[in-house]
Each structure stands twice: as structure tokens, then as C-alpha cells.
Amino acid sequence: MNDLLQQIYGLFQSIVGLADTGFDGVNQVVGLVIAALAALMMTSWRGLWATALGAVVVHILIGMVKPMLDGGALLLPDILTAGFWIAGFALFLGYAIVIAIFFFIKSLLTGSLFRRHGHSHAH
């Protein structure tokens, strides 16, 4: 039982480490702009995971095209390596955190956080 708890704790630490790495990847100008736009486009908390996934795709596409804008060649990611998928998952976790924070702030500013949906209070 103790061994199982240590394995669960180790897995949890690994996920937190990935999220931290992903957060570092998002916490740059391009990542913050992507996350802010994604949060503005998101309409409900149910869309968080799909929005974070879309942000990762945009992030990767920008990483591919950016070298061309600097006069280089298109940089195709090596999608057949575990490193690509681990980095992508880390970015996904990072974007999920940052988009959730931005969406929470958006909800506070628009007042939609505490508004009831589907109920009319007309008198």
C-alpha cells in the first residue's frame, strides 16, 4: 500500500512538473496573447479543454512558421518522438491553467460568473 502511495505521489509530482514546464512555455508574449484570445473566445467552462488544445495547435503552428518570417525554412516538428508529445502535453496543461485564469477574470469583469443561466427573474 505504501508503495502504491509513493507511485501515485510520484505521478502527481510528474504532472505538476509538466504543468510547470508548460506554464513556462505559455508565460511568454506569444503564449500570453494566444491564451488571452482563447479566453476571450471561450463561452463557458465546459470549453476549457478544447480551447487549451486549440491554443497548443496554434502555438505549434506559430513555432513552425516563425522561422520562415525570419528568412529561414518552415520548421516541421518531429511528431514521432516522445519528446514532442510530452512537450505538447506540458503546453496543454500550461494553457489550461492560464486560459482558466484569464477566463475567470473575464467572468468577474463581465459579471457572468455569478449569473444564473436559463432562469428569468422578470417581475
Side-chain angles (χ1 to χ4, degrees), residues 26-38:
V26 173
N27 197 13
Q28 296 174 19
V29 175
V30 172
L32 292 174
V33 169
I34 292 169
L37 291 173

Side-chain angles (χ1 to χ4, degrees), residues 38 42 47-57 91-93 95-97 99:
M42 200 166 86
L48 177 62
W49 304 118
T51 304
L53 182 61
V56 171
V57 170
L91 273 175
F92 173 76
L93 293 174
Y95 272 114
I97 293 166
I99 291 169

Side-chain angles (χ1 to χ4, degrees), residues 48-65:
L48 177 62
W49 304 118
T51 304
L53 182 61
V56 171
V57 170
V58 169
H59 187 104
I60 291 169
L61 289 173
I62 289 173
M64 290 170 52
V65 173

